[in-house]
Amino acid sequence: MKSELENKKCVPCELGTNPLNHSDIMVFSDILSDGWEVINDVKIEKKFKFKDFKEALEFTNKVGALAEEEGHHPDIQLSWGKVVISLTTHKIHGLSENDFIMAVKIDKL
């Protein structure tokens, strides 16, 4: 299933689309790499550590380029040696398959 997500492209959600339910979120979260945390069934988040600010910034720029490619944009916190990525689908106020697609692709960076 992980490789299926790697090969998918994010598709814009339409207004009125329901966010994933708890059971579906648990299925998707089981295929994510270690470090991703489900928060209140509304977002997923992971902290990435780096040796310095420059490496953290380079990673942030790669995530930004991926987000533009996919048309699905995470919230990113950048600080010295650390990047925190939060994914949610704002349009539906919860998690969608797109969030998990992005998480898998971010881990590949």
Side-chain angles (χ1 to χ4, degrees):
M1 186 166 180
K2 189 174 197 170
S3 62
E4 287 177 30
L5 288 180
E6 288 174 8
N7 295 321
K8 285 190 170 186
K9 180 111 172 99
C10 292
V11 177
C13 293
E14 295 181 15
L15 284 175
T17 301
N18 290 324
L20 295 173
N21 63 40
H22 180 75
S23 298
D24 291 337
I25 291 168
M26 291 301 102
V27 169
F28 278 116
S29 67
D30 282 346
I31 63 172
L32 295 179
S33 67
D34 289 342
W36 286 101
E37 180 183 355
V38 176
I39 301 172
N40 299 323
D41 284 353
V42 176
K43 70 179 177 177
I44 53 175
E45 186 172 278
K46 184 172 181 177
K47 294 173 181 77
F48 295 85
K49 295 197 183 253
F50 300 92
K51 74 175 188 172
D52 56 25
F53 185 81
K54 181 181 178 191
E55 281 190 7
L57 179 60
E58 288 170 354
F59 176 73
T60 299
N61 288 330
K62 288 178 184 177
V63 171
L66 175 64
E68 283 297 302
E69 237 177 75
E70 293 293 327
H72 193 68
H73 302 86
D75 292 329
I76 303 172
Q77 282 183 315
L78 168 65
S79 58
W80 194 97
K82 182 172 78 172
V83 176
V84 179
I85 303 288
S86 298
L87 289 158
T88 189
T89 302
H90 298 284
K91 194 176 210 176
I92 63 170
H93 307 289
L95 289 165
S96 71
E97 184 180 44
N98 291 335
D99 300 303
F100 293 93
I101 291 170
M102 281 296 293
V104 167
K105 290 183 177 193
I106 287 168
D107 278 337
K108 283 186 71 176
L109 296 176

